[in-house]
Amino acid sequence: RSPEREHPRWVDGARRSIVADGLKMARLKQGVSLRDMAGRLGVVCSAVVRYEDGHNLNEKTIVRYAAAGDALVLRARER
């Protein structure tokens, strides 16, 4: 077995929580509302809350979330 497979199950949850916290902190630091982020992602606000709580969070979602945040920042700079 590889060392990655031997870590306790909580590590995955801890990493997911750290990533989720980072997503929320980045959104708040950029001044992006839940509604704005939900619109950029094409989801309802409760889905954004779930992502930021670490639920339904996978690599694809993280990439989409980051891209949506970057797009909002770029759009705000153009104003």
Side-chain angles (χ1 to χ4, degrees), residues 31 50-51 57 66:
R50 285 192 307 270
Y51 299 152
L57 197 55

Side-chain angles (χ1 to χ4, degrees), residues 8-69:
R9 203 163 186 48
W10 66 267
V11 173
D12 289 332
R15 287 182 186 160
R16 187 172 34 252
S17 178
I18 290 168
V19 170
D21 288 347
L23 294 176
K24 184 174 184 176
M25 287 190 319
R27 177 180 63 77
L28 293 173
K29 185 175 180 181
Q30 294 171 3
V32 177
S33 71
L34 275 172
R35 185 177 296 201
D36 286 341
M37 183 58 78
R40 296 296 297 171
L41 292 172
V43 300
V44 295
C45 290
S46 61
V48 176
V49 172
R50 285 192 307 270
Y51 299 152
E52 292 178 353
D53 285 343
H55 302 286
N56 304 336
L57 197 55
N58 56 43
E59 185 176 346
K60 182 179 176 181
T61 301
I62 294 167
V63 169
R64 284 180 53 224
Y65 196 102

